[in-house]
């Protein structure tokens, strides 16, 4: 079973890298900064099954665990995240099964990301099989915050002191403000660039 999820990640990564290259060729800019991928550890899969109240079986794993194959796509701007999600929805070779928007609705600890459960087709000897994967879409600021939160969380043995938890929420708000400020700056730079181009033409 793990081999199928690795193949699904390979397929997904190839599609996204092709898309990134196309965007660069067409627009001179790709919204995708970098990609990370992972296969969930067997121990984590079993723990998640238990938390969901399901007995161990390959059928239950396939039906109820959607993030065995995981991919994180880091984008420059929030608008690029939604642009990418819209693109997934429009493709015939990717099925979007579920979207959890933690950008519009952050988690209580401040976490922000767009989680998209997709299915990717694998052409096998037995025929076409659609394999699930979870894609997490984040900005650079969101990814930095989530990485730091993860490190601190385990340093405190999963029990953060209240003042630290509050500081993390504050840092998440600061990361969100940074994202918005960088987007405003990008718009201003693009407008200045367009004005300069028009002035040259005239």
């Amino acid at each position: 079973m793990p081999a199928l999820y690795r193949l699904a990640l390979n397929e997904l990564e190839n599609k996204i890298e092709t898309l990134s290259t196309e965007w660069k060729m067409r627009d001179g800019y790709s919204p995708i900064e970098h990609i990370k991928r992972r296969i969930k550890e067997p121990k984590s899969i079993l723990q998640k099954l238990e938390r969901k109240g399901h007995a161990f079986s390959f059928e239950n794993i396939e039906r109820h665990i959607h993030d065995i194959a995981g991919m994180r796509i880091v984008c420059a701007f929030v608008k690029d995240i939604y642009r990418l999600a819209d693109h997934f929805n429009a493709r015939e070779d990717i099925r979007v099964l579920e979207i959890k928007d933690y950008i519009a609705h952050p988690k209580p600890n401040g976490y922000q990301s767009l989680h998209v459960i997709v299915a990717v087709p694998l052409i096998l000897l037995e025929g076409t099989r659609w394999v699930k994967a979870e894609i997490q879409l984040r900005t650079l600021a969101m990814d930095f915050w989530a990485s730091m939160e993860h490190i601190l969380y385990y340093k405190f043995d999963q029990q953060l002191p209240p003042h630290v938890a509050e500081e993390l929420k504050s840092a998440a708000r600061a990361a969100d403000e940074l994202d918005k400020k960088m987007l405003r700056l990008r718009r201003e730079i693009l407008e200045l660039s367009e004005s300069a181009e028009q002035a040259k033409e005239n």
Side-chain angles (χ1 to χ4, degrees):
M1 183 178 283
L4 287 182
Y5 288 103
R6 288 192 185 93
L7 289 171
L9 279 180
N10 290 342
E11 284 288 316
L12 194 54
E13 190 166 18
N14 286 338
K15 294 177 194 300
I16 291 165
E17 285 180 349
T18 300
L19 176 63
S20 179
T21 301
E22 281 190 291
W23 268 331
K24 279 181 184 175
M25 290 169 61
R26 190 188 69 183
D27 304 334
Y29 157 78
S30 171
I32 299 166
E33 287 292 319
H34 58 262
I35 300 169
K36 293 180 181 177
R37 47 185 282 179
R38 65 106 182 96
I39 298 292
K40 204 173 190 70
E41 294 291 331
K43 182 181 177 182
S44 297
I45 295 170
L46 291 174
Q47 288 173 342
K48 194 161 189 176
L49 264 184
E50 287 177 7
R51 286 199 305 271
K52 286 175 171 278
H54 302 295
F56 171 76
S57 72
F58 289 116
E59 184 182 346
N60 277 341
I61 289 173
E62 191 170 352
R63 181 179 297 173
H64 300 292
I65 309 297
H66 306 316
D67 62 344
I68 295 174
M71 180 174 287
R72 184 182 307 154
I73 303 175
V74 177
C75 300
F77 303 103
V78 171
K79 72 177 188 64
D80 295 330
I81 289 173
Y82 291 109
R83 180 186 180 192
L84 201 49
D86 288 342
H87 179 79
F88 292 153
N89 261 317
R91 291 183 72 126
E92 293 181 359
D93 60 346
I94 296 175
R95 291 177 181 168
V96 175
L97 306 177
E98 183 183 354
I99 295 178
K100 291 182 180 178
D101 192 342
Y102 297 116
I103 298 173
H105 308 284
K107 289 188 176 182
N109 66 348
Y111 174 85
Q112 287 186 296
S113 184
L114 189 74
H115 290 198
V116 185
I117 305 297
V118 301
V120 183
L122 294 180
I123 311 301
L124 306 172
L125 290 173
E126 65 191 44
T128 302
R129 182 167 175 180
W130 290 79
V131 180
K132 293 175 188 174
E134 182 189 63
I135 304 173
Q136 295 180 356
L137 295 157
R138 301 175 182 170
T139 63
L140 289 157
M142 290 173 195
D143 193 51
F144 172 74
W145 182 91
S147 297
M148 291 299 100
E149 192 266 354
H150 180 77
I151 291 167
L152 293 172
Y153 193 77
Y154 283 95
K155 280 284 185 184
F156 278 99
D157 195 27
Q158 304 186 5
Q159 293 296 323
L160 289 177
H163 73 280
V164 175
E166 194 53 46
E167 285 294 323
L168 273 171
K169 286 183 188 178
S170 176
R173 290 191 291 270
D176 184 52
E177 282 302 313
L178 179 61
D179 274 333
K180 290 173 181 172
K181 181 176 285 189
M182 296 308 288
L183 184 58
R184 287 195 298 270
L185 285 171
R186 181 175 184 270
R187 284 178 186 148
E188 188 173 340
I189 289 166
L190 287 174
E191 287 170 4
L192 288 169
S193 178
E194 285 175 12
S195 298
E197 287 296 320
Q198 288 173 1
K200 283 181 184 178
E201 290 172 4
N202 297 330

